Amino acid sequence: MSILITNIKQLLQTRTHGIFKVSGKEMKELPLIENAYLLIEHDTIVEYGSMKNIGAIIAEKTIDATGKIVLPAWCDSHTHLVYAGHREQEFVDRINGLSYEEIAKKGGGILNSAKILEQTSEDELYEQSVKRLNEVMRLGTGAIEIKSGYGLTLESELKILHVIKRLKHDFNILVRPTFLGAHAIPKAFEDNKSGYVDELINTIIPEIAKEQLAKYIDVFCEKDYFSLEDTDRILEAGIKHNMVPKLHVNQFNAFGGVSLAVKHNARSVDHLEIVNPEDIKALKGSHTMPVALPSCSYFLGIPYTPARKLIDAGLPLAIASDYNPGTTPSGNMNFVVSTACIKMKMTPEEAINAATINGAYAMGAHKMFGSITRGKKANIIITDEIPNYNYIPYAFGNNNIDTVIINGKIVE
């Protein structure tokens, strides 16, 4: 189907080919066209420009976007969308004063989710995940990374990755699968962490590679979880099986994980609530994208990633939802963009760049997603009638989206 969108108040993130991420001062620049049109054919952006230059275009469907903003769909590069059940009791426990670490030590946290998932059939897990994916697509997410990590056994990790594969096949959206078996130490190995690392390296990773279920490999490199040595071994095993590294790092402590990620040419380093000068030095000149998860900080009441420190040092930054049952039970990227502005002091331009072009880069999808560029996939958000793009993060409690188009198809 061909779709022509006319009378666009502001068409955002119009880029030429070859710009795959923006860094430092570039993040404050958001190229746009006022009073614009956009032409989609099949699943591709084929033309756009000023209405005064539109000429004669015939399309099967025309959308009048008078008073509305059009921008690329959100690229959410960090989610755990495939999980079973919920953890609302832990939410109450935190209100009553327990920390993340204390909840984990009393059997909550990731191990709680793993126990629930083990008891959930693959079909039931798929149905729960379908609801979440439909929801985030309607909220404007047009490309998504989904991690495993709530299994912690070969059988359960495969169950999650099989569900991710089904979602990838059944839905009209780019899905990037990530293996995160090193998310926590399972109960069966609570006094034998090295045994679990061996299990990951010798059994689980080879089996996942054999079935080609994951593009990326991730590790929760954190105190009381996986050390630098553990992380190094696991990433090496993933690389050996053609998985690209990503890393959960610096959520509570900074002890060299960022440098290790850069050493392995990781696609991204995610969380970064704690950042020191050595981390910034390591990231400079690398191909690794820093990723902030502002709604996780909001939900847990922990520090926010120091966006200003990173951007003002000349680095790029992406933002993502961290959608998961324990620390961010929401995949609403509109809220993520607002929170980045409100709590991390990012400008609207920086936040939109972080959630589109840099988000696409953080999941290795930058060649076809993340900007309004001829030849890229037609992943589009059309807002309601709003004053300008600053209103998107400003009106943080509203759903300002009128229409979402993913790969050329309108999301119903």
Side-chain angles (χ1 to χ4, degrees), residues 27 74-78 289-294 305 307 317-322 333-341 344 346 350-356 358-360 362:
M27 289 194 65
W74 308 124
C75 297
D76 191 351
S77 66
H78 184 128
M289 176 65 71
V291 180
L293 308 171
T305 301
L317 184 64
I319 54 177
S321 75
D322 194 21
M333 283 294 290
N334 305 284
F335 179 75
V336 171
V337 170
S338 292
T339 307
C341 293
M344 292 163 56
M346 294 175 71
E350 289 171 335
I352 291 169
N353 276 323
T356 56
N358 283 2

Side-chain angles (χ1 to χ4, degrees), residues 74-83 132-133 136 141 143-150 160 164 167 173-180 183 218 246 248 270 291 293 319-325 328 330-333 336 363:
W74 308 124
C75 297
D76 191 351
S77 66
H78 184 128
T79 85
H80 308 252
L81 180 141
V82 175
Y83 61 84
R132 297 181 196 120
L133 189 54
V136 299
T141 293
I144 191 167
E145 182 255 21
I146 306 176
K147 303 178 189 292
S148 70
Y150 288 117
I160 298 169
I164 296 171
L167 295 173
I173 183 173
L174 177 77
V175 174
R176 290 289 202 222
T178 295
F179 171 59
L180 179 58
H183 200 193
D218 197 348
K246 283 173 150 278
H248 278 61
D270 302 33
V291 180
L293 308 171
I319 54 177
S321 75
D322 194 21
Y323 193 0
N324 77 79
T328 323
S330 168
N332 187 344
M333 283 294 290
V336 171
M363 66 173 86

